[in-house]
Amino acid sequence: MAEAVKIYDGAINKGLEGVVACTTSISSIVDTTLCYRGYTIEDIAANSNFEEVCWLLWNGQLPNKSELEGFKKNLKNAMHLPADLVEQLAKLPTNTHPMAWLRTATSMMGMWDKETEDNSEEANRHKSLRLTARMGMLVALFKRVREGKSFVQPNPDKSIAWNFLYMLNGIEPDSEMVDIFDTCLILHADHELNCSAFSARVTASSLSDIYSAVVSAIGALKGPLHGGANEQVILMLQEIGGMDKVDSWLTDALAEKKKIMGFGHRVYKNGDPRAKILSQMSERLTKKMGHPEYYQMSKYLDDKMQADKGLLPNVDFYSASVYFSMGIPTDIFTPIFAVSRVSGWCAHILEQYSNNRIYRPRGEWVGPTGLKYKPIDAR
Ligand code: COA
């Protein structure tokens, strides 16, 4: 066998670790500080709301009163799924993972959008609005169809957070739950060049349409090393089963070299600021809803992972017990991530289109070379 021909003599950054693939001004991570458009996540989470964050991510600055009012009105008007689309979506199988359903449903939504093939900035902003207004409607529709219940129409006078909980359960949500959920939406809205945003940008870089880019992102988010981790965290806590078993469970899991879901991060090495906010929410909510052991087990794992492995929790770790306490089914946790992150994906897609060059890296060839084709009878 001939020697492999080297096309590149530098180091290969497996998983593109440390590679800067583009410039961005949407969100930034420096050590433990996450900023959206220059504002810290702590500041935004304490003072803003998800609708305002969408505006911020798409426009680069906070809206004034009339801009926010106009934007909220447009979002509300966009909270509408065509009846014939709902009819088709209701026929999709629901015995799949909801992320698989959501990926298909988002793709179908693109087929119903008259502006899908219009790649002008104006049309892409309209579509960003529709995608963000409707992602939660799709997730709620999935849950309702799976339960054999009818679709709950949103209340256009209410926020995305309020409506998501309302459409999911068919009853008006409690205002504390809405506030907590709105904060969760803010915390998950964007995160620099994460795997799903990068997938969206790669697809957009071929000048494909925004729906195709968002569908790529949903596919990337689904994986357990990315958004799928929040679902795995609650399954892990349920497998552990109680405070009396948590220590031995963790010892065995680490001895078996298992990855502990919700820990570690490619970029944050000194802690994820979103996990700190979510940890406080988890402590409060698990106590209020009568299952404090979910927080206690989480806290134990957090302390022990930090002490023994130097690994800290990421955004998915405490969000799991928060969503669990809100009574949300486990397999809907990752779709919730998409309900929020679609705002960040759209911001990244708009940014990519505005300063585009197709992503086309190289792969270092390590297979055989110089082979000669053999007719099938001679093999
Ligand atoms: N549990 C146990 N060990 C972990 C770990 C975890 N959650 N995360 C990282 N490690 C260990 C790895 O085993 C590896 O150890 P080694 O060098 O001895 O082989 C080291 O830490 C580096 O991890 P690696 O997987 O190479 O880091 P990465 O940057 O490629 O991956 C994640 C980052 C987030 C994918 C990874 O930490 C992970 O899989 N976490 C669990 C899934 C998760 O929570 N995902 C949500 C991310 S927001």
Side-chain angles (χ1 to χ4, degrees), residues 224-226 229 258-266 311 314 316:
L225 298 189
H226 188 14
K258 274 192 190 159
K259 276 234 165 136
I260 313 300
M261 288 293 141
F263 285 92
H265 202 273
R266 172 63 63 77
L311 286 166
N314 56 50
D316 292 311

Side-chain angles (χ1 to χ4, degrees), residues 73-115:
K73 205 166 139 214
N74 290 341
L75 265 177
K76 283 165 189 171
N77 290 339
M79 265 194 198
H80 164 77
L81 290 173
D84 52 343
L85 172 60
V86 172
E87 200 184 314
Q88 295 304 319
L89 291 173
K91 291 182 193 158
L92 292 176
T94 52
N95 59 351
T96 57
H97 193 282
M99 284 298 280
W101 190 97
L102 187 64
R103 189 186 59 216
T104 305
T106 304
S107 186
M108 284 173 68
M109 199 159 72
M111 295 171 76
W112 260 254
D113 192 323
K114 292 192 172 59
E115 285 188 301

Side-chain angles (χ1 to χ4, degrees), residues 98-304:
M99 284 298 280
W101 190 97
L102 187 64
R103 189 186 59 216
T104 305
T106 304
S107 186
M108 284 173 68
M109 199 159 72
M111 295 171 76
W112 260 254
D113 192 323
K114 292 192 172 59
E115 285 188 301
T116 291
E117 302 305 332
D118 180 348
N119 235 5
S120 64
E121 187 185 340
E122 194 191 0
N124 282 327
R125 284 178 173 269
H126 296 159
K127 287 176 276 181
S128 298
L129 197 91
R130 288 196 279 275
L131 275 156
T132 304
R134 295 175 184 175
M135 195 61 73
M137 298 180 74
L138 291 181
V139 176
L141 175 65
F142 169 85
K143 179 173 174 276
R144 302 291 295 179
V145 172
R146 182 167 70 178
E147 290 172 351
K149 294 180 180 155
S150 58
F151 182 48
V152 178
Q153 289 298 338
N155 178 340
D157 294 326
K158 302 286 188 181
S159 66
I160 289 187
W162 190 97
N163 268 306
F164 179 72
L165 297 176
Y166 175 58
M167 291 184 291
L168 206 61
N169 301 317
I171 45 169
E172 296 203 359
D174 150 313
S175 63
E176 188 187 0
M177 293 295 178
V178 175
D179 286 348
I180 289 175
F181 191 67
D182 194 61
T183 306
C184 291
L185 293 181
I186 293 174
L187 295 175
H188 288 81
D190 195 47
H191 207 225
E192 206 226 43
L193 233 62
N194 61 87
C195 182
S196 56
F198 186 56
S199 301
R201 290 187 81 125
V202 169
T203 300
S205 82
S206 75
L207 297 185
S208 186
D209 68 282
I210 195 166
Y211 281 96
S212 298
V214 168
V215 169
S216 301
I218 294 174
L221 187 74
K222 180 173 182 281
L225 298 189
H226 188 14
N230 58 10
E231 176 181 345
Q232 297 304 319
V233 169
I234 212 74
L235 296 174
M236 171 179 77
L237 295 176
Q238 285 166 346
E239 184 192 319
I240 295 172
M243 275 305 282
D244 52 330
K245 297 177 210 113
V246 64
D247 188 71
S248 60
W249 185 92
L250 184 60
T251 306
D252 293 349
L254 291 177
E256 288 166 32
K257 302 245 172 280
K258 274 192 190 159
K259 276 234 165 136
I260 313 300
M261 288 293 141
F263 285 92
H265 202 273
R266 172 63 63 77
V267 182
Y268 296 118
K269 296 302 173 200
N270 297 313
D272 180 335
R274 302 165 301 173
K276 282 200 187 124
I277 303 172
L278 284 158
S279 151
Q280 290 157 9
M281 283 159 51
S282 164
E283 183 174 17
R284 189 154 48 93
L285 204 58
T286 52
K287 201 186 274 174
K288 178 178 162 149
M289 301 313 287
H291 33 251
E293 70 283 5
Y294 276 80
Y295 172 75
Q296 290 157 2
M297 284 190 282
S298 303
K299 183 74 174 81
Y300 187 91
L301 292 172
D302 181 349
D303 292 342
K304 191 99 172 107

